[in-house]
Amino acid sequence: MSRDDKLRIVASSALRTLFSTHKVTAPISAFELLTHIIAAGPPHAGLLPGPDPPPTFRLIDLAQFESALESFADAWDHGRISVLREARDGSLTVMEVHLGDAYKGAPSPSLFPQGRKRKRVVDEEADSAASDADEEDERVEQARAELQPSPSTLASLSKDMKEVYNILQRSTAKGRLLAEQFRSVNGSFEPICPHITKDDCAKARRSASLASDPANAPATICDRIHFRPLLRPHTDASLGHCSYLNTCYSEPTYAQSPSIPPLPSHRQMGYGAQGAGAVSLPSGLGAGGRGKEKAPCRYLHFEVDWDVSDGVTMGDVRKEDKRRPYKLGIGLGPHGKEMRTLPPQWINCDLRRFDYSVLGKFHVIMADPPWDIHMSLPYGTMTDDEMRAMPIPTLQDEGLLFLWVTGRAMEVGRECLRVWGYTRVDEVVWVKTNQLQRVIRTGRTGHWLNHTKEHMLVGVKTVTDASGNLKFPAWANRGLDADVVVSEVRETSRKPDEVYGMIERMCPGGRKIEIFGRKHNTRPGWLTLGNQLGPDQIFEEDLAARIKARYPERNISVPSVGAMQLC
C-alpha cells in the first residue's frame, strides 16, 4: 500500500471523527480542514493493517489531502461529501458533509425490501392477509421516510447559491494579502502532546494499539513536545498543575530572569540576574503564587523533556514557500517613506519626577503603569492621583496611546485617558496561556474572579475638526490586525511581542515611546523609560543634547553614526 493510499485512509477516519463530533462544520476550506486534522494528533496505531504505524498528515501534504477529498466526493464509506474547486485560485472547499448509510446510495435491501406491490386479492378468505401486507408496506415506507434526514438549509440551495455562499464565507483578497505580508518571520510551530509526559503518551498509544491490534502494540511516544514533572520535597502532586508553571513566583526559572527585581524582603543592590546579589525564593507560610511573601509553590511544575532521539522518525521535511512575493501597498507612516530604524534606546529615571518636555513629540505612546489595584504585588505601585498627574499630554500633539489596564484599573485607565486629552477608540485583549498552552486559571489579579486576560486601551489624541468630529491621524493604518492576542505569559509585566508588531504596522517609521518599561521591553525603533534599565542609551543626538542640558549630571554619550547598528 502506497503512502497516498494510507493517507487516504487516515483522512477518511479523521473526517468522520471531526464532523461526527461537530468540531468542524461545512463549508470549510481544505487547508483549514487539514490544520484541524493535524491539530487532532496522530491517528491510532490500529487504523492500517500490519505493524507499521499510520502516517501523519503535514501541511505539505495539502495536495494529497485535496486529492483524497475529491475521491470521497465520488464515493465515501461514511456518507457523502460535496466539494467545490475555485477556478480563481484553484483552492478546494468542502461544501457539504452528510454522515450515515442513508447518504451512501440506495438503501440496503435487507432493511427496505424493494419487491412489487401485491395486487389486492378479492377473495374474501384472503382479504385479511392482503390488508396485513398493505399495512406492512406502509410501515416500510414510513420507516424509510423517518430514516431519511431532512435536507439542511445549505443543502436546499441551488448550485449557484452555494457558490455565492462560499464566496461570502471567504476572506477578501486584501485580507489574504495582508496576512501573507505580515505573517510571522519565524514560522516554526511545535505542537504539545495532550498527554503532557512521555510515560502517559506511551501508555495511551499502547492502550490504543492493544484495542485494535493486540499482537503489535509498541510502547512508543508521539513526535510532539513532552514535559517532565519537577518533583521537589514540598511538591504535592495531588494538588494538580500550577497555573503559572515555569513563571510561578517560587520557581527558580522565575528568579533567574534578568529583568525581575528581588522581593521587598530580599532587596539588594542588583536586579535579578543583572545584579550582584542573588534573588531568594519567597519564604513564610502559604502556598505560593500570589503575593509577595509566600512559601515555595506546592503545585506541580514542569520542564521540557527533550532527548536527542526524540522525533528522529519524522525527518526534516520542511519546505520553503515558493510563492511569488507580493507586497500590498499600505501607509508608510507619518514620514510617508521608508525610515531607518534606530537601535533600542532607553532612559533610566524616576518616571514621576522626570521632565518629559525634553523628550520631544511622539507618534505612539505605550504605557504599562503600576496601577494600584488593591492587591499585594511584587513591585511598587502608583496612586490614582499620581497617574492622573502624569505629563502624558506633553508627549503628543497628534497620535495614538496604548494603555495596559487590569482589574479596577480598567475604569481608572479610561478616566486617565479623558484627563490626558484622549478618546478611547478600541481595546485589545491578551488571553494568557501557560507553559502547556492552556488558559491560566489562577491569575495573580482579580478580587472576585481569577483574571486570565489583560486589556490594552487604544486611545487617540482628541483633536476635532470645525464640525466637532474626532480627527484620526491620516498616517495610521487601520484594519490590519485583530483585537485578540493569545500568548504565553513570561516575566512579571512582560507583554506579548505580538503587540509591538501590531503597533509598528499601525504606525511604521514614527517615533515611539514606552513608559514604565523594563530591560526586556527595549526594542529597535522605540525609546523606553523605566527605573530598572541601567545606564542610559541614546542614539538621537538632539535628544541626548536636550537631556544633557536639563540634567548635566547624567552620563550620556551618543555613539557615532558609523557605530550605530541600524536594523
Side-chain angles (χ1 to χ4, degrees), residues 84 95 157-167:
L84 176 65
M95 298 299 298
L157 297 177
S158 64
K159 181 180 179 181
D160 293 338
M161 291 303 298
K162 289 179 181 178
E163 293 183 3
V164 171
Y165 181 80
N166 179 45
I167 293 174

Side-chain angles (χ1 to χ4, degrees), residues 473-508:
W475 42 261
N477 295 319
R478 293 187 281 174
L480 298 183
D481 289 275
D483 60 351
V484 176
V485 175
V486 180
S487 182
E488 184 177 341
V489 296
R490 294 175 289 183
E491 303 94 327
T492 299
S493 300
R494 187 168 185 177
K495 305 308 181 196
D497 294 337
E498 293 86 345
V499 172
Y500 294 95
M502 178 190 305
I503 296 174
E504 290 164 0
R505 287 187 287 272
M506 292 183 67
C507 177

Side-chain angles (χ1 to χ4, degrees), residues 93-331:
T93 301
V94 177
M95 298 299 298
E96 290 180 288
V97 175
H98 295 284
L99 299 175
D101 294 336
Y103 292 100
K104 291 171 59 177
S108 174
S110 61
L111 181 62
F112 302 118
Q114 298 294 327
R116 293 182 180 180
K117 277 192 175 183
R118 297 185 184 182
K119 184 177 181 181
R120 182 171 181 82
V121 181
V122 182
D123 188 357
E124 294 179 358
E125 295 179 357
D127 184 60
S128 60
S131 299
D132 294 339
D134 291 340
E135 291 178 0
E136 183 181 354
D137 291 341
E138 291 177 1
R139 286 196 300 269
V140 170
E141 294 293 338
Q142 184 178 1
R144 183 185 291 113
E146 291 177 354
L147 289 176
Q148 184 71 22
S150 59
S152 63
T153 304
L154 184 61
S156 61
L157 297 177
S158 64
K159 181 180 179 181
D160 293 338
M161 291 303 298
K162 289 179 181 178
E163 293 183 3
V164 171
Y165 181 80
N166 179 45
I167 293 174
L168 293 176
Q169 299 303 309
R170 295 174 62 87
S171 60
T172 63
K174 179 180 178 181
R176 292 196 297 271
L177 288 173
L178 289 173
E180 177 70 19
Q181 183 173 342
F182 296 117
R183 65 178 179 176
S184 301
V185 177
N186 181 13
S188 61
F189 172 72
E190 301 293 344
I192 295 176
C193 175
H195 303 291
I196 302 178
T197 65
K198 290 182 178 179
D199 290 340
D200 291 341
C201 178
K203 290 178 182 177
R205 290 169 65 87
R206 183 173 180 83
S207 298
S209 300
L210 288 172
S212 57
D213 188 3
N216 300 285
T220 58
I221 62 174
C222 66
D223 59 345
R224 298 190 171 196
I225 297 297
H226 299 85
F227 294 85
R228 66 168 63 94
L230 299 175
L231 300 177
R232 301 188 175 93
H234 57 267
T235 301
D236 185 355
S238 63
L239 296 176
H241 304 165
C242 172
S243 184
Y244 274 87
L245 298 173
N246 59 325
T247 56
C248 179
Y249 284 154
S250 65
E251 276 300 288
T253 54
Y254 175 87
Q256 292 167 1
S257 171
S259 58
I260 297 175
L263 295 168
S265 60
H266 304 88
R267 195 173 300 281
Q268 307 216 2
M269 294 298 294
Y271 286 99
Q274 297 179 7
V279 178
S280 302
L281 293 181
S283 61
L285 301 177
R290 292 180 72 119
K292 301 176 182 178
E293 303 297 328
K294 299 291 185 179
C297 182
R298 296 187 292 118
Y299 288 82
L300 195 59
H301 298 80
F302 292 90
E303 64 180 356
V304 176
D305 188 1
W306 175 259
D307 297 323
V308 179
S309 59
D310 290 347
V312 295
T313 57
M314 291 297 296
D316 190 4
V317 294
R318 295 178 182 175
K319 294 183 179 180
E320 295 185 359
D321 195 349
K322 300 295 184 180
R323 295 181 181 178
R324 179 177 61 87
Y326 181 85
K327 296 190 68 174
L328 186 65
I330 63 172

Side-chain angles (χ1 to χ4, degrees), residues 10-31:
V10 172
S12 177
S13 176
L15 289 175
R16 181 186 182 185
T17 302
L18 289 176
F19 283 100
S20 63
T21 57
H22 304 287
K23 292 182 179 180
V24 296
T25 56
I28 183 173
S29 66
F31 179 80

